[in-house]
């Protein structure tokens, strides 16, 4: 039906197991990922960029087991917080393949980077000075890059465009040379790379060549200053087809676009830095379903289907108007008959997972699968409305492992303290 997902005897299956069976055994709602799809996605990316290092973007999904799959594939990691750094280390990602990104790192986070010996991508000159001070005090030298804002428009959702001039991320590219000059002079920091990230869910890839050229302009300039450029990190952003049958550019297309620029400009300069890419969505996105159960039906202004997951578990539709394909898993071969809006149980009008979808006739108890939920699904979940987070499962070779237990009411109370006067 879509990629690795199939229909057998009218049932939607993932990794060969019917979604309905999964819900029967493990309850609903539940996230379920297919290990072989994750590995295939990674390898397809790696095949397109055989000489590059792929730093998995932890934010897409930082489940430890999924992170360990990345480590076993030889990935590095793009981490954006102390917690993601902690998880990357726990997953066994080599320290020299971890890049600590972030536009507002705390001094404590910078100290953690210094102590763990990972690379840091700096977001401002102010941060450069802070890191230099911290590293000097610790008598360490930290390998750094600057995240440069290349000022290109990636033509994606404004909330996930990051490389525009007005964006909060990175230093303006006109100031980059000056920043590297200062980095060369300061103790405790060793500038060895350059970094950018223009946005996410990008379907029109030409902005990547513009960004690549702008970055190589800078590489040229900072090399002349005396920076030994060991890596050029182009971030990530390759989109995936959330809609069935939609043609989107592949990693190979991206490689065909940017590798010739990268290679020829490196040759011209007589340098051989490593290319780094930081894919997240492409690796995890389509590997995972969010399985939900229909609690209730209602005919009002629209035909509403109430399921047991809302934006507490999948916030993308509410936050970015994102489309996730919804399939009635136990009626996967039935013809569409009605138009439904599928809504979650959260006390907010915006808690709509799918607007006006043509689907087979739905009844209470049906299982609705939301596709492509592996990136920015669980990782953006919350306990809003007192809703415990659901379990995460991993399928491999027809076997199911629970890779995160469903939360219990204890988790709602976790870390809360009640002063004795309330007892
Ligand atoms: N590197 C950096 C520095 C990033 O900021 C991001 C994503 C990535 C890599 C990974 O990009 P990807 O391969 O996944 O496109 N929550 C939003 C997406 C936010 C992306 C944030 N940065 C969504 O659900 O669409």
């Amino acid at each position: 039906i879509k990629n690795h997902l199939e229909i057998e005897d009218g049932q939607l299956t993932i990794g060969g197991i019917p979604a309905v069976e999964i819900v029967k055994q493990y309850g609903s709602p539940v996230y379920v990922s297919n290990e072989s799809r994750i590995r295939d996605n990674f390898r397809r990316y790696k095949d397109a960029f055989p000489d590059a290092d792929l730093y998995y973007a932890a934010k897409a999904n930082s489940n430890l087991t999924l992170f360990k799959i990345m480590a076993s594939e030889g990935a590095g990691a793009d981490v954006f917080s102390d917690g993601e750094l902690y998880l990357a280390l726990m997953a066994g990602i080599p320290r020299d393949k971890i890049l600590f990104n972030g536009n507002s790192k705390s001094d404590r986070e910078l100290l953690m980077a210094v102590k763990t010996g990972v690379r840091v991508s700096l977001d401002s000159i102010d941060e450069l000075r802070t890191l230099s001070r911290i590293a000097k005090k610790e008598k360490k030298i930290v390998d750094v890059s600057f995240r440069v804002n290349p000022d290109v428009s990636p033509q994606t959702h404004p909330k996930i465009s990051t490389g525009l001039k007005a964006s909060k991320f990175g230093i303006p590219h006109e100031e980059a040379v000056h920043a590297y000059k200062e980095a060369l002079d300061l103790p405790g920091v060793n500038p060895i790379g350059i970094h950018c990230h223009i946005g996410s869910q990008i379907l029109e890839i030409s902005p990547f060549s513009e960004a690549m050229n702008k970055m190589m302009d800078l590489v040229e300039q900072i090399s002349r200053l005396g920076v030994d450029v060991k890596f050029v990190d182009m971030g990530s952003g390759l989109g995936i087809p959330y809609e069935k049958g939609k043609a989107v550019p592949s990693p190979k297309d991206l490689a065909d676009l940017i590798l010739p620029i990268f290679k020829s400009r490196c040759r011209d300069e007589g340098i051989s830095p490593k290319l780094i890419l930081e894919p997240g969505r492409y690796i995890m996105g389509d590997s995972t379903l969010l399985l939900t159960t229909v609690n209730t039906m209602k005919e009002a202004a629209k035909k509403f289907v109430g399921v047991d997951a809302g934006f507490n578990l999948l916030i993308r539709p509410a936050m970015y108007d994102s489309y996730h394909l919804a399939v009635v898993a136990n009626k996967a071969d039935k013809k569409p008959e009605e138009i439904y809006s599928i809504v979650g149980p959260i006390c907010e009008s915006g808690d709509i997972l799918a607007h006006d979808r043509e689907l087979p006739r739905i009844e209470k108890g049906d299982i609705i699968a939301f596709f492509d939920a592996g990136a920015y699904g669980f990782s953006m979940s919350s306990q809003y409305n007192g809703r415990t987070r659901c379990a995460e499962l991993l399928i491999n070779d027809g076997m199911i492992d629970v890779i995160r237990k469903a939360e219990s009411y204890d988790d709602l109370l976790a870390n809360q303290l009640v002063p004795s006067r309330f007892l």
Side-chain angles (χ1 to χ4, degrees):
I1 173 165
K2 202 165 181 259
N3 304 322
H4 58 122
L5 301 161
E6 283 168 18
I7 297 173
E8 285 162 28
D9 302 328
Q11 299 282 326
L12 174 70
T13 66
I14 173 166
I17 306 177
V20 171
E21 288 306 314
I22 296 170
V23 166
K24 237 181 233 157
Q25 263 189 61
Y26 295 93
S28 172
V30 66
Y31 270 103
V32 50
S33 303
N34 187 357
E35 179 169 341
S36 63
R37 183 67 183 176
I38 294 170
R39 291 188 187 276
D40 287 351
N41 288 343
F42 186 88
R43 289 171 194 175
R44 212 176 309 111
Y45 217 110
K46 184 72 193 167
D47 285 349
F49 292 97
D51 299 327
D53 274 345
L54 303 185
Y55 284 17
Y56 170 61
K59 58 186 82 71
N61 191 330
S62 55
N63 178 287
L64 190 61
T65 304
L66 304 187
F67 222 148
K68 279 176 177 285
I69 294 175
M70 290 294 96
S72 76
E73 291 289 334
D78 143 38
V79 301
F80 219 82
S81 67
D82 53 347
E84 285 184 356
L85 172 54
Y86 177 80
L87 290 167
L89 293 169
M90 289 287 282
I93 306 280
R95 286 159 201 248
D96 60 355
K97 280 188 167 183
I98 296 177
L99 187 65
F100 198 151
N101 289 314
N103 66 295
S104 178
K105 304 179 201 77
S106 66
D107 288 9
R108 203 178 53 77
E109 285 177 306
L110 291 173
L111 179 61
M112 185 172 169
V114 171
K115 285 195 165 163
T116 52
V118 299
R119 292 170 170 179
V120 177
S121 192
L122 296 162
D123 203 78
S124 67
I125 291 184
D126 187 44
E127 190 180 59
L128 165 71
R129 292 174 186 156
T130 307
L131 181 67
S132 165
R133 206 174 346 99
I134 293 171
K136 192 175 154 208
K137 201 161 149 227
E138 294 294 311
K139 300 192 170 53
K140 290 263 177 64
I141 294 174
V142 186
D143 288 339
V144 300
S145 57
F146 281 98
R147 172 155 175 185
V148 176
N149 180 346
D151 187 19
V152 300
S153 170
Q155 294 153 16
T156 182
H157 191 284
K159 282 191 189 153
I160 50 177
S161 291
T162 49
L164 291 166
K165 205 183 184 93
S167 162
K168 73 166 182 170
F169 296 104
I171 52 171
H173 67 118
E174 312 84 46
E175 282 169 34
V177 174
H178 171 70
Y180 279 91
K181 227 180 249 163
E182 182 158 346
L184 282 172
D185 289 342
L186 284 178
V189 288
N190 182 26
I192 62 159
I194 188 161
H195 176 217
C196 74
H197 170 76
I198 59 174
S200 197
Q201 186 54 20
I202 296 171
L203 297 175
E204 160 49 50
I205 55 176
S206 58
F208 282 107
S209 68
E210 192 188 341
M212 183 89 249
N213 269 313
K214 283 190 166 173
M215 294 291 277
M216 293 314 289
D217 290 345
L218 288 174
V219 168
E220 226 174 274
Q221 293 176 55
I222 63 175
S223 298
R224 284 187 196 143
L225 283 182
V227 176
D228 179 9
V229 182
K230 296 201 174 86
F231 71 86
V232 177
D233 181 339
M234 290 301 292
S236 180
L238 193 63
I240 61 169
Y242 284 97
E243 283 140 67
K244 211 166 132 186
K246 189 177 171 98
V248 305
S250 66
K252 182 78 175 48
D253 294 330
L254 182 61
D256 288 345
L257 181 72
I258 64 172
L259 284 184
I261 304 173
F262 179 67
K263 287 183 181 160
S264 80
R265 298 208 51 178
C266 286
R267 215 177 305 118
D268 292 350
E269 275 306 293
I271 53 171
S272 46
K274 191 102 194 154
L275 180 66
I276 296 175
L277 295 155
E278 304 176 332
R281 188 189 314 270
Y282 185 87
I283 310 294
M284 292 299 170
D286 72 7
S287 71
T288 301
L289 296 175
L290 171 60
L291 301 179
T292 67
T293 301
V294 175
N295 281 331
T296 184
M297 307 282 305
K298 176 165 67 184
E299 263 196 72
K302 293 183 171 192
K303 289 192 169 129
F304 289 113
V305 179
V307 294
D308 55 5
F311 75 54
N312 53 317
L313 289 177
L314 184 62
I315 204 171
R316 303 192 69 259
M319 193 150 173
Y320 319 108
D321 293 319
S322 303
Y323 175 95
H324 285 264
L325 182 68
V327 169
V328 187
N330 52 313
K331 298 175 178 170
D333 60 347
K334 296 252 183 344
K335 287 209 168 51
E337 278 189 62
E338 304 273 357
I339 297 195
Y340 294 109
S341 284
I342 307 173
V343 303
I346 299 298
C347 183
E348 302 244 3
S349 310
D351 185 30
I352 299 175
L353 292 171
H355 290 272
D356 304 323
R357 301 288 174 85
E358 246 198 303
L359 292 166
R361 194 174 305 279
I362 295 177
E363 298 155 289
K364 180 176 168 65
D366 283 345
I367 307 299
I368 299 186
F370 290 92
F371 280 48
D372 306 309
Y376 311 107
F378 193 96
S379 64
M380 294 180 82
S381 66
S382 74
Q383 291 180 335
Y384 183 48
N385 261 196
R387 296 219 162 255
T388 50
R389 289 185 183 82
C390 68
E392 290 182 286
L393 310 175
L394 182 67
I395 301 186
N396 181 37
D397 262 345
M399 301 274 288
I400 303 178
D401 285 303
V402 179
I403 56 171
R404 186 194 301 265
K405 291 192 294 184
E407 289 180 346
S408 69
Y409 298 141
D410 283 343
D411 296 296
L412 298 181
L413 295 173
N415 303 320
Q416 299 205 47
L417 298 172
V418 180
S420 58
R421 65 197 165 86
F422 288 93
L423 298 177

